[in-house]
């Protein structure tokens, strides 16, 4: 993979890998599924948890590829992993801000990207080592987040939401993977709850600029 | 000192909310591990005195567990969570002996366990131990540890950040357990010299190739060296002589052709280098550097072998190269003699003493590549020609020597051997080298084809 030129597709592929691992980690940390259903895996030279249930893995993979489709269109502002209680009240949101990804025309998805510094040096578009290191740090922070957050009530469920940029077209084609949700003023999924934001990490590896934080709904019981 | 560790821990554990193990603390502050453990304990005690629950600890307990409570162990790092399912399928890890049920049923075997526990489970874990030989703090973190696996990150960071430190010196400072009999290998290159030789040959060929002016020669050299690499380990000499001869000889079209011929001929024999060398020598004899090169290289081959990989490999290359060079030279001369006068080879052999000696040496050379490969082929040729030829010849013999480090190093040494043979008939001369080359080379077919090709090609080379 390091031999091919870095295109936007490559950047997005790296991000979706990270997203998959992050979802698995969050599921483990917040005990959405029983801990025994997770096995230890290794990613980015870090030991992570991965769910074993085939349906769970399948669902996560499908969701992440739907996110990828939207990312390739360049309309995504943020990706959110939302935890709901049994009554469908959102309790927590794990936010990933992807609005700072490079925007290219659809025809240029596979065009190698290039960046030159002010003095004319060529800068790497996606330095793998830096990226891995930062992903590792983010996942470590996510893994220890559960101790800082309030314990979740029983029977929580999770879902993945995508917030579009201002000018983004909602995906409403026939096999509709996404459900449009009417966003309340000020924030998207989450309603009017008071929120507390806990920063996790911001990643800056070449052109891959990402921010990650956790929003907790104070009002939820 | 006291200020340092408090400050360090305050920054890392409280502010940055990182996990600090005693090992990372000892590496960061350059103190002994036991001292680091004490620092962790002090910090933990003080911080919790100021603000209870601000710092959480993970403990490491070593001791003998009570045999009647095996169900609580899951392996080396048991979490002791309330209601944790017993994972009997996990195999007992070395260092922690999780008692199996069967063992307990038979007899009370005392099991020594090493256990990582979170501080909330400390008392519970201590209760499971019959006697505790050691207990200390393993790591500190600002909030509770959710996943024990995250502790592995500490060790990875240590190996990444402190990889430059030599463990043989650092162990005293850090208190790592050290085996007094351990010592570093002095020789960088491993026992099999051909492997690094072949590898070194390839990078050498590439940098050397661009420097040569005639591109034809370069391509020849690299191509043949690559091919030879696959076949024989003598590719390194290939690159050297080829580059050596290529550099001093700017325009060598006939040489190229000649080289091609002998190269193809020799490609299935050992040491492609030799044919090349031979060609250069035979084709451009006026070029003293070319002639001097092989002389220089063999001379250099006998130098000290205690150099690092490249030099050592170079030396090893030299050593076989030198005899091979001679063999090639002899072979060339002999083959030419053979091709030229098929009926008069005997006379030629009888007349010209240098030819004769060349022929003998050539035979020896032919046999040498044979013997160089293995001693058995050499013996085979001896037995085949036993009682048929006379003279002295040089044979490569292998000696396996135990090195100072205890490694067995196989060296090839040339040894003079006298053998008696009848005056060979030209056919026998032809067939003997053909068969001799056949035997050493694994591909018999190739040998036969090669001999045939050699005969045919010699016609062209005559011109």
């Amino acid at each position: 993979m390091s031999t091919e030129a870095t295109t936007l597709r490559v950047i997005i592929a790296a991000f979706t890998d990270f997203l998959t691992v992050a979802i698995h980690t969050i599921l483990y940390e917040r005990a959405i599924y029983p801990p025994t259903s997770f096995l230890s895996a290794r990613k980015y030279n870090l030991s992570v948890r991965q769910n074993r249930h085939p349906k769970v893995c399948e669902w996560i993979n499908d969701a992440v590829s739907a996110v990828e489709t939207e990312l390739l269109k360049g309309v995504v502002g943020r990706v959110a992993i939302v935890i709901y209680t049994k009554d469908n009240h959102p309790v927590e949101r794990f936010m990933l801000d992807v609005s700072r990804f490079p925007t290219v025309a659809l025809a240029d998805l596979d065009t190698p990207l290039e960046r030159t510094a002010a003095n004319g040096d060529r800068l790497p578009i996606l330095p793998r080592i830096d990226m891995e290191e930062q992903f590792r740090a983010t996942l470590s922070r996510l893994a220890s987040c559960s101790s800082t957050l309030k314990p979740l009530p029983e029977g929580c469920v999770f879902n993945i939401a995508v917030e579009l940029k201002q000018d983004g077209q909602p995906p409403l084609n026939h096999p509709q993977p996404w459900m449009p949700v009417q966003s309340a003023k000020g924030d998207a999924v989450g309603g009017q709850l008071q929120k507390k934001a806990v920063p996790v990490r911001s990643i800056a590896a070449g052109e891959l600029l990402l921010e990650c934080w956790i929003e907790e709904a104070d009002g939820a019981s | 000192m006291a200020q340092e560790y408090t400050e360090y821990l305050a920054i890392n554990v409280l502010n940055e909310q990182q996990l600090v193990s005693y090992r990372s603390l000892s590496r960061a502050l350059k103190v002994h591990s036991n001292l680091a453990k004490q620092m962790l304990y002090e910090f933990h005690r003080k911080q919790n005195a100021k603000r209870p629950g601000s710092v959480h600890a993970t403990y490491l307990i070593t001791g003998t567990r009570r045999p009647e409570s095996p169900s609580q162990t899951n392996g080396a790092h048991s979490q002791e969570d309330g209601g944790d399912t017993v994972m009997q399928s996990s195999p007992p890890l070395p260092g922690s002996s999780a008692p199996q049920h069967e063992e307990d049923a038979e007899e009370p075997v005392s099991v020594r366990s090493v256990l990582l526990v979170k501080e909330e489970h400390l008392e519970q874990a201590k209760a499971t131990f019959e006697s505790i030989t050691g207990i200390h703090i393993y790591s500190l973190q600002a909030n509770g540890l959710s996943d024990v696996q995250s502790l592995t990150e500490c060790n990875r960071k240590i190996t990444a950040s402190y990889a430059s430190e030599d463990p043989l010196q650092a162990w005293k400072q850090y208190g790592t357990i050290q085996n007094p009999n351990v010592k570093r290998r002095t020789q960088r290159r491993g026992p099999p010299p051909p492997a690094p030789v072949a590898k070194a040959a390839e990078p050498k060929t590439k940098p050397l190739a661009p420097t040569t002016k005639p591109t034809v020669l370069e391509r020849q050299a690299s191509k043949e060296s690559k091919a030879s690499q696959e076949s024989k380990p003598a590719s390194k000499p290939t690159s050297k002589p080829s580059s050596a001869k290529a550099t001093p000889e700017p325009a060598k079209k006939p040489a190229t052709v000649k080289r091609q011929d002998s190269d193809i001929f020799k490609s299935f024999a050992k040491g492609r280098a030799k044919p090349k060398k031979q060609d250069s020598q035979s084709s451009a004899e006026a070029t003293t550097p070319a002639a001097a090169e092989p002389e220089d290289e063999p001379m250099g081959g006998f130098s000290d072998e205690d150099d690092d990989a490249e030099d050592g490999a170079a030396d090893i290359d030299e050593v076989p190269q030198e005899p091979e060079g001679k063999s090639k030279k002899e072979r060339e001369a002999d083959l030419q003699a053979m091709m030229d006068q098929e009926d008069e080879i005997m006379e030629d052999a009888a007349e010209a003493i240098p030819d004769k000696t060349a022929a003998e040496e050539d035979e020896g050379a032919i046999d040498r590549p044979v013997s160089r490969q293995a001693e058995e082929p050499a013996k085979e040729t001896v037995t085949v020609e036993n009682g048929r030829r006379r003279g002295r010849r040089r044979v490569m013999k292998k000696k396996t020597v135990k090195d100072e480090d205890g490694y067995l190093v196989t060296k090839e040494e040339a040894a003079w051997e006298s053998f008696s043979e009848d005056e060979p008939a030209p056919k026998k001369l032809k067939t003997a080298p053909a068969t001799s080359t056949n035997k050493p080379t694994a591909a018999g077919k190739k040998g036969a084809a090669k001999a045939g090709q050699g005969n045919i090609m010699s016609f062209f080379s005559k011109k």
Side-chain angles (χ1 to χ4, degrees), chain A residues 28-29 36 40 45-49 136 140-141 143-144 146-148, chain B residues 16-17 79 84-85 87 143-150 152-153 156:
Chain A
Y28 177 77
E29 288 301 319
T36 48
S40 306
N45 214 8
L46 177 70
S47 59
V48 294
R49 297 284 185 169
R136 244 200 320 264
S140 308
R141 292 291 292 251
S144 57
S146 66
S147 42
T148 50
Chain B
E16 292 192 20
Q17 310 223 331
Q79 295 217 18
D84 195 5
T85 56
M87 307 227 278
N143 309 298
L145 189 68
S146 59
D147 196 357
V148 169
Q149 277 191 345
S150 36
T152 58
E153 182 65 10
R156 190 204 63 83

Side-chain angles (χ1 to χ4, degrees), chain A residues 51-70:
Chain A
N51 198 300
R52 280 196 305 197
H53 198 287
K55 288 286 181 190
V56 174
C57 293
E58 201 181 311
W59 192 94
I60 292 178
N61 288 340
D62 287 343
V64 168
S65 28
V67 172
E68 188 174 5
T69 317
E70 297 308 311

Side-chain angles (χ1 to χ4, degrees), chain A residues 92-105:
Chain A
E92 277 171 11
R93 291 210 295 169
F94 293 79
M95 306 295 300
L96 290 162
D97 187 320
V98 295
S99 54
R100 289 164 70 193
F101 273 20
T103 43
V104 295

Side-chain angles (χ1 to χ4, degrees), chain B residues 197 224-225 228 232-242 245 258-267 269-283 294 297-298 316-333 362 365-366 368-369 372 396 412:
Chain B
V197 163
E224 271 147 1
S225 61
S228 63
K232 301 295 174 215
S235 56
K236 194 154 181 239
T238 307
S239 63
K240 275 192 164 180
S242 65
K245 87 174 139 64
K258 215 170 173 82
R259 233 175 343 109
Q260 259 174 349
D261 300 344
S262 55
D263 284 337
I264 294 167
F265 183 88
K266 304 291 183 176
S267 65
K270 281 198 224 201
R272 322 280 313 266
K274 315 333 182 278
K276 290 203 188 149
K277 228 162 84 161
Q278 292 302 317
D279 293 333
S280 63
Q281 289 181 18
S282 51
S283 59
E297 283 167 341
I316 291 171
D317 276 339
E318 307 292 357
V319 172
Q321 195 176 29
E322 186 248 344
E324 282 181 350
K326 284 190 189 165
S327 78
K328 288 293 158 65
K329 198 193 321 181
E330 297 146 7
R331 277 177 96 171
E332 266 287 311
D362 187 32
I366 294 164
R368 198 165 16 73
R372 211 176 70 77
M396 290 300 294
E412 284 179 356

Side-chain angles (χ1 to χ4, degrees), chain B residues 353-370:
Chain B
I353 296 172
D355 285 345
K356 171 81 172 158
T357 52
E360 288 174 353
E361 288 188 18
D362 187 32
E363 291 163 4
I366 294 164
D367 297 332
R368 198 165 16 73
V370 177

Side-chain angles (χ1 to χ4, degrees), chain B residues 108-415:
Chain B
V109 181
S110 70
V111 188
R112 185 163 318 160
S113 306
V114 179
L115 207 63
L116 263 182
V117 289
K118 296 189 241 178
E119 66 175 12
E120 45 263 33
H121 308 300
L122 182 62
E123 295 308 317
Q124 192 183 356
K126 276 210 244 179
T128 67
F129 275 83
E130 196 176 300
S131 66
I132 296 180
T133 51
I135 177 169
H136 67 85
I137 292 188
Y138 188 86
S139 70
L140 285 183
Q141 54 276 344
N143 309 298
L145 189 68
S146 59
D147 196 357
V148 169
Q149 277 191 345
S150 36
L151 287 173
T152 58
E153 182 65 10
C154 300
N155 287 340
R156 190 204 63 83
K157 273 193 230 164
I158 291 173
T159 48
S161 331
Y162 301 102
S164 53
E165 292 181 353
D166 184 12
L168 288 178
Q169 271 114 43
W171 71 273
K172 287 176 204 153
Q173 189 179 32
Y174 297 136
T176 30
I177 300 169
Q178 184 70 21
N179 180 356
N181 298 331
V182 151
K183 57 176 175 169
R184 272 200 193 279
R185 291 187 193 178
T186 51
Q187 276 188 341
R188 279 303 169 134
R189 59 189 161 85
V197 163
K199 289 204 175 86
E202 200 162 36
K204 266 196 184 179
T205 324
K206 288 185 184 142
L208 286 172
T211 61
T212 60
K213 291 165 202 172
T215 50
V216 179
L217 289 173
E218 290 172 30
R219 263 184 267 117
Q220 287 279 322
S222 48
K223 180 184 69 172
E224 271 147 1
S225 61
K226 270 178 206 160
S228 63
Q229 255 188 336
E230 294 155 16
S231 55
K232 301 295 174 215
S235 56
K236 194 154 181 239
T238 307
S239 63
K240 275 192 164 180
S242 65
S243 59
K245 87 174 139 64
T247 30
E249 299 162 354
K252 295 277 176 296
K253 280 169 196 173
T256 313
V257 173
K258 215 170 173 82
R259 233 175 343 109
Q260 259 174 349
D261 300 344
S262 55
D263 284 337
I264 294 167
F265 183 88
K266 304 291 183 176
S267 65
F268 306 106
K270 281 198 224 201
R272 322 280 313 266
K274 315 333 182 278
K276 290 203 188 149
K277 228 162 84 161
Q278 292 302 317
D279 293 333
S280 63
Q281 289 181 18
S282 51
S283 59
E285 282 158 317
T287 319
T288 34
E293 283 296 333
E295 306 305 315
D296 290 340
E297 283 167 341
M299 292 305 293
F302 294 116
S303 63
D304 201 11
E305 286 192 8
D306 288 345
D307 303 333
D308 56 22
E310 214 179 16
D311 293 342
D315 293 339
I316 291 171
D317 276 339
E318 307 292 357
V319 172
Q321 195 176 29
E322 186 248 344
E324 282 181 350
K326 284 190 189 165
S327 78
K328 288 293 158 65
K329 198 193 321 181
E330 297 146 7
R331 277 177 96 171
E332 266 287 311
D334 189 43
L335 283 170
Q336 288 209 347
M338 275 175 13
M339 319 298 187
D340 289 348
Q341 318 98 13
E342 298 200 4
D343 300 328
E344 300 157 345
I345 283 180
M346 285 178 6
E347 298 169 6
D348 281 338
E351 286 172 359
I353 296 172
D355 285 345
K356 171 81 172 158
T357 52
E360 288 174 353
E361 288 188 18
D362 187 32
E363 291 163 4
I366 294 164
D367 297 332
R368 198 165 16 73
V370 177
S371 56
R372 211 176 70 77
Q373 207 160 47
E375 284 175 329
E376 292 174 0
K379 288 171 190 165
E380 284 178 15
T381 53
V382 171
T383 53
V384 164
E385 300 149 330
N386 207 3
R388 290 186 186 178
R389 295 180 195 165
R390 289 204 181 95
R392 284 181 68 80
R393 72 173 173 188
R394 211 166 157 201
V395 180
M396 290 300 294
K397 294 219 168 138
K398 287 194 169 187
K399 274 191 191 173
T400 309
V401 177
K402 201 164 184 190
D403 207 356
E404 53 171 13
D405 289 337
Y407 291 119
L408 290 179
V409 180
T410 309
K411 292 181 189 171
E412 284 179 356
E413 290 174 357

